[in-house]
Amino acid sequence: FNIVMNNGKEAGQLVNHAHIHIIPRFQKDRLRIKWSHLKYEGDEIKEYAGNIKKFIWEYTTRGRNDYREYIW
């Protein structure tokens, strides 16, 4: 199976919420998930990593229940 999680406007949501697809897979099912890979420029990937780490730290250690302020 594949697990796909969509969060936020950039992931196609109209209302922000945790949204998970569990997709069963079968031999010769012909399902292809298209993914366009973009390259990060300069230190951009470090900036994203820092934002993700900050979100996880603050959300899990301080009991935050509203992640919308972290959408970057």
Side-chain angles (χ1 to χ4, degrees):
F1 59 92
N2 288 103
I3 297 175
V4 179
M5 183 164 196
N6 300 328
N7 288 329
K9 179 181 175 184
E10 292 78 6
Q13 290 187 328
L14 298 177
V15 176
N16 289 335
H17 64 289
H19 186 97
I20 300 171
H21 293 271
I22 300 174
I23 305 168
R25 300 301 306 270
F26 305 95
Q27 197 170 31
K28 299 180 183 180
D29 64 11
R30 295 193 278 175
L31 174 65
R32 300 294 175 260
I33 298 174
K34 292 184 180 183
W35 188 275
S36 61
H37 298 277
L38 301 175
K39 292 190 177 209
Y40 294 100
E41 295 182 11
D43 287 337
E44 190 177 22
I45 195 166
K46 291 179 182 177
E47 181 182 340
Y48 279 101
N51 287 338
I52 292 167
K53 288 176 186 176
K54 178 182 175 187
F55 167 75
I56 291 170
W57 172 257
E58 292 186 4
Y59 188 83
T60 58
T61 61
R62 298 191 181 135
R64 293 190 184 261
N65 59 8
D66 186 354
Y67 66 87
R68 288 174 285 189
E69 67 183 279
Y70 292 97
I71 295 182
W72 44 83

